Amino acid sequence: MLAFVGDSRMRLMYSYVADLLMHVENADRLYTEPLDARDARNDVSFWIPDLNITLYYFRLHQPDEHHRLKMFIKSPEKQKAFDYAIFETGSWSLFNGGLTVLPDFRKNLTEAAMKLSLLPRETLFIWMQTLPFHPYVKSQRNRWVIERGPVYRDIEQFGRVMREVADEHGVTLWQSAHDLALQHPELYADRVHPNRQLYQKFICQFFDALDWQNCPAVGTGHNSRSVCVH
């Protein structure tokens, strides 16, 4: 089982992996149009019987949502432990409080690290370093990124704190996705959300890190291709 924990950016990653494993080839609309608010607000799970894989999205906008974190740890889905759980956060903390909340962000991340240590040992919990913003992407959605000044620089401070707390508590950190996003601002659907192609690159990194010998393919028959083709 694979869980994605976070806000709409993790919800889109969940959707991309579901599309990938179900061979949905024409789902680009999901990554070029605004995500329905309900999609990012609700928890979702998806079982792929042919592959015996369960995907799970759990909404956790900010690390101070302790009741939500407790719900995730004690979720009915946890009757069988997740193999991997990927967590990304920071954008909502910046949106709600700006840089003034950085000390609280660090404190709440530290508490989250301690609570997540309660997960079964067979679960690898991975923190994805806070993804960047790109205010010069042409889309006008997520206008707060423009109206509140240089938040594309501010969001990096949240990523730095996440990196430091992960190091202090021995949490596995996924930093290469953040670095890749910085290199490819043209692969953003708007100022906050990566597009489908960038999510493909993220998942390729993930599969490569797991050393999957059979990388999932997109399409069927002679039209199939590996997701990890660069």
Side-chain angles (χ1 to χ4, degrees):
M1 291 203 298
L2 173 60
F4 298 89
V5 183
D7 54 25
S8 58
R9 304 205 276 188
M10 282 290 95
R11 176 64 173 83
L12 283 171
M13 183 174 289
Y14 160 91
S15 297
Y16 175 76
V17 175
D19 291 348
L20 171 70
L21 297 178
M22 289 297 293
H23 305 300
V24 177
E25 300 183 72
N26 299 311
D28 289 331
R29 181 186 61 79
L30 178 62
Y31 307 91
T32 57
E33 296 183 3
L35 182 69
D36 191 311
R38 291 170 299 178
D39 288 338
R41 188 170 62 237
N42 298 329
D43 301 338
V44 189
S45 62
F46 189 68
W47 179 50
I48 306 172
D50 291 346
L51 300 174
N52 194 27
I53 292 176
T54 299
L55 303 177
Y56 188 64
Y57 165 70
F58 190 85
R59 178 186 59 78
L60 188 69
H61 285 170
Q62 299 178 184
D64 63 350
E65 295 178 279
H66 301 300
H67 65 293
R68 294 287 301 166
L69 190 59
K70 185 176 180 180
M71 285 173 61
F72 171 73
I73 293 173
K74 295 186 175 181
S75 167
E77 297 284 343
K78 299 283 310 148
Q79 292 176 1
K80 178 181 178 182
F82 292 112
D83 298 294
Y84 304 96
I86 303 172
F87 172 50
E88 193 264 358
T89 190
S91 58
W92 275 86
S93 296
L94 174 59
F95 172 73
N96 287 325
L99 291 178
T100 59
V101 304
L102 269 177
D104 288 335
F105 183 72
R106 179 185 296 274
K107 176 178 179 252
N108 289 318
L109 269 182
T110 299
E111 292 183 15
M114 297 172 64
K115 289 177 180 177
L116 292 171
S117 67
L118 300 175
L119 289 172
R121 292 187 178 183
E122 57 266 34
T123 299
L124 177 59
F125 206 89
I126 302 167
W127 286 12
M128 174 186 275
Q129 181 176 335
T130 307
L131 294 172
F133 293 157
H134 289 287
Y136 45 92
V137 172
K138 291 182 181 180
S139 169
Q140 294 302 308
R141 296 196 302 275
N142 299 297
R143 291 192 60 86
W144 69 273
V145 177
I146 308 170
E147 294 165 353
R148 296 198 181 187
V151 293
Y152 66 96
R153 291 197 295 264
D154 295 344
I155 194 66
E156 294 301 303
Q157 298 300 315
F158 289 83
R160 174 184 57 80
V161 169
M162 197 172 194
R163 199 169 60 239
E164 292 172 354
V165 174
D167 182 63
E168 291 167 3
H169 293 272
V171 177
T172 300
L173 181 73
W174 183 1
Q175 185 177 346
S176 58
H178 162 273
D179 297 344
L180 186 66
L182 279 181
Q183 296 169 17
H184 293 283
E186 75 280 5
L187 298 182
Y188 267 64
D190 58 28
R191 290 178 166 87
V192 175
H193 301 93
N195 69 11
R196 184 178 176 84
Q197 187 177 352
L198 190 50
Y199 277 115
Q200 176 180 345
K201 291 178 181 294
F202 292 164
I203 296 303
C204 180
Q205 288 183 341
F206 181 70
F207 289 150
D208 284 347
L210 298 182
D211 194 25
W212 278 31
Q213 297 302 313
N214 298 311
C215 199
V218 179
T220 57
H222 67 278
N223 291 322
S224 66
R225 58 186 175 82
S226 170
V227 68
C228 295
V229 173
H230 299 280

